[in-house]
């Protein structure tokens, strides 16, 4: 059975991983996802007609989202192709600012965030709960970016949009009361790929201040080895997790194939696009002098090996990096903190790491 098959209307946990999953993660999956089709199990056109039908009900498992002082949406201009994207700015309450202790001369640090979704799905709502928690618990501003999505806007538009949103943040730092010396980037999955790519691009752009941090959550780091169909050849992929976790819950290999085919295409130009540093940050010629990295991975995730490989690449180049792999967890666990203790641990870890970094700058 391939990971694209749906037995008897259900997506049960595959025998290859059932014993390795944390029981709490497995229970949440069985309750909310096992009886549902995933987006990658239908044609994109079918998914696009009724996106909610194929979307995991994250709001039912995420923790209570705290109130913030404001969460205004701005329009940021983008040029490739010309248009505008939404950028939502979360500002912490006065009490949270006081508790965080990070305000300096009326300015706060900021984290520019890029949501996940394989460059194909998702939006500002995807990370809303996490954005609110980081905003309030760290006491920093969150800039959440609604970059344009494939297949209508294929690679590299997600990253070029995001780069312009990062520059927009610096340009408007005074009005937003952001300290430009304490701006970081973050993202989950595809969004972490964008964040890593922007950290590389920002390092090489003398017009921008040095980034303070790159928070990479269950990151996509190397797009070169996901096939257009079928399974990975163990002899040709450097990432063991592609093989071990081909049938992982929530993000089986087939879901990556579906995303990447829509994002990078299936024509003869696919390999060249996958080798672009904006799709595969690990191929950069240098990983030195980058913003310190915080890499958070799920153990039962086909992407875990490339997350660990990027940590090794960064540390070998002298860039500080902290890697943590959450045992027994699947790809989207970070959003499940309303019902999963390990997810709450993850959120607290992010809060503590960001507080430390923003206080040092």
């Amino acid at each position: 059975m391939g990971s694209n098959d749906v037995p008897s209307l259900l997506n049960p946990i595959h025998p290859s991983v059932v014993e390795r999953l944390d029981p709490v993660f497995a229970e949440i999956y069985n309750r909310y996802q096992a009886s549902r089709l995933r987006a990658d199990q239908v044609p994109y056109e079918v998914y696009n007609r009724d996106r909610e039908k194929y979307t995991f009900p994250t709001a039912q498992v995420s923790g209570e989202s705290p109130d913030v002082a404001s969460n205004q949406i701005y329009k940021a201009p983008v040029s490739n192709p010309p248009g505008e994207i939404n950028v939502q700015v979360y500002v912490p309450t006065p009490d949270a600012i006081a508790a965080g202790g990070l305000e300096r001369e009326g300015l706060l640090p900021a984290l520019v965030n890029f949501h996940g979704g394989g460059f194909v799905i998702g939006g500002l709502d995807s990370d809303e709960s996490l954005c609110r928690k980081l905003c309030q618990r760290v006491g920093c501003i969150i800039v959440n970016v609604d970059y344009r999505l494939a297949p209508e806007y294929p690679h590299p538009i997600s990253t070029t949009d995001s780069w312009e949103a990062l520059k927009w943040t610096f340009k408007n730092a005074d009005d937003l009361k952001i300290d430009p010396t304490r701006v970081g980037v973050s993202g989950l999955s595809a969004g972490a790929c964008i964040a890593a790519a922007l950290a590389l691009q920002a390092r090489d752009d003398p017009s921008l201040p040095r980034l303070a941090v790159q928070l990479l959550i269950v990151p996509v780091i190397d797009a070169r080895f996901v096939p257009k169909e079928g399974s990975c050849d163990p002899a040709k992929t450097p990432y063991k997790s592609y093989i071990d976790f081909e049938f992982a819950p929530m993000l089986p290999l087939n879901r990556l194939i579906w995303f990447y085919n829509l994002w990078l295409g299936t024509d003869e130009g696919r390999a060249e696009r996958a080798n672009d540093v904006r799709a595969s940050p690990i191929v950069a010629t240098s990983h030195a002098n980058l913003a310190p990295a915080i890499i958070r991975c799920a153990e039962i995730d086909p992407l875990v090996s490339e997350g660990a490989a990027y940590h090794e690449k960064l540390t070998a180049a002298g860039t500080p990096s902290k890697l943590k792999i959450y045992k027994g967890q699947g790809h989207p666990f970070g959003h499940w903190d309303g019902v999963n203790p390990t997810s709450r641990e993850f959120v607290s870890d992010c809060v503590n790491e960001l507080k430390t970094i923003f206080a040092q700058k």
Side-chain angles (χ1 to χ4, degrees):
M1 180 186 299
S3 59
N4 196 38
D5 296 328
V6 186
S8 304
L9 303 179
L10 300 176
N11 275 306
I13 296 172
H14 194 269
S16 65
V17 297
V18 68
E19 296 297 328
R20 301 186 64 173
L21 281 173
D22 178 272
V24 175
F25 183 95
E27 194 278 330
I28 298 166
Y29 175 85
N30 285 331
R31 177 176 294 186
Y32 294 100
Q33 181 60 53
S35 62
R36 302 166 66 102
L37 282 169
R38 302 185 309 267
D40 61 280
Q41 293 174 305
V42 298
Y44 175 76
E45 295 74 20
V46 174
Y47 160 73
N48 208 26
R49 287 198 294 268
D50 188 1
R51 292 189 168 213
E52 186 175 354
K53 180 178 179 180
Y54 305 101
T55 300
F56 184 85
T58 301
Q60 297 184 43
V61 297
S62 60
E64 184 176 349
S65 297
D67 291 334
V68 295
S70 64
N71 59 333
Q72 185 173 345
I73 294 178
Y74 297 84
K75 297 288 186 181
V78 290
S79 60
N80 180 33
E84 290 181 323
I85 60 172
N86 288 328
V87 174
Q88 189 164 20
V89 179
Y90 291 86
V91 178
T93 61
D95 286 348
I97 292 172
L102 298 175
E103 187 175 33
R104 295 178 187 169
E105 299 180 354
L107 302 179
L108 291 173
L111 192 67
V112 184
N113 182 71
F114 310 97
H115 67 81
F119 308 92
V120 174
I121 66 178
L124 291 179
D125 293 344
S126 301
D127 291 351
E128 179 180 5
S129 179
L130 182 60
C131 287
R132 286 176 174 272
K133 288 162 192 161
L134 295 180
C135 177
Q136 282 295 101
R137 292 176 58 181
V138 176
C140 70
I141 290 170
I142 305 291
V143 180
N144 196 24
V145 178
D146 194 19
Y147 57 88
R148 291 174 292 183
L149 301 171
E152 292 81 5
Y153 298 97
H155 178 78
I157 294 171
S158 56
T159 306
T160 56
D161 280 1
S162 299
W163 173 247
E164 293 189 82
L166 179 61
K167 292 194 295 183
W168 177 92
T169 300
F170 281 112
K171 180 180 178 180
N172 292 278
D174 286 347
D175 291 340
L176 298 173
K177 299 190 182 305
I178 289 173
D179 179 351
T181 70
R182 292 184 293 162
V183 173
V185 290
S186 68
L188 187 150
S189 192
C193 179
I194 293 171
L198 296 195
L200 288 159
Q201 194 167 354
R203 175 199 60 189
D204 298 332
D205 188 332
S207 71
L208 294 186
R210 179 177 174 83
L211 292 180
V213 65
Q214 49 179 322
L215 171 59
L216 311 179
I217 303 165
V218 292
V220 169
I221 290 298
D222 192 341
R224 296 173 295 170
F225 297 98
V226 171
K228 297 175 187 177
E229 61 181 356
S231 300
C232 291
D233 182 346
K236 295 181 179 179
T237 175
Y239 302 122
K240 189 171 183 290
S241 56
Y242 283 14
I243 309 301
D244 292 350
F245 304 129
E246 176 178 355
F247 301 100
M250 302 300 296
L251 189 69
L253 179 65
N254 190 77
R255 188 168 174 85
L256 285 174
I257 291 170
W258 189 80
F259 283 141
Y260 286 26
N261 285 351
L262 292 166
W263 167 47
L264 296 172
T266 57
D267 61 9
E268 63 278 359
R270 164 71 172 263
E272 181 180 356
R273 289 188 287 271
N275 271 285
D276 181 354
V277 69
R278 294 170 294 185
S280 299
I282 202 165
V283 307
T285 55
S286 171
H287 293 89
N289 301 313
L290 292 171
I294 303 165
I295 302 176
R296 311 282 99 160
C297 296
E299 182 191 28
I300 314 302
D301 183 346
L303 298 177
V304 63
S305 292
E306 61 191 82
Y310 200 57
H311 166 73
E312 293 171 1
K313 180 75 73 171
L314 294 175
T315 55
T319 292
S321 178
K322 292 184 177 181
L323 172 69
K324 183 170 181 177
I325 299 172
Y326 294 83
K327 186 173 176 59
Q329 301 303 305
H331 186 72
F333 82 102
H335 283 317
W336 295 5
D337 57 304
V339 289
N340 186 349
T342 305
S343 306
R344 290 193 286 272
E345 176 188 343
F346 156 78
V347 174
S348 293
D349 286 345
C350 291
V351 168
N352 293 335
E353 294 282 7
L354 290 171
K355 277 186 171 181
T356 298
I357 285 176
F358 286 146
Q360 290 174 345
K361 296 297 292 183

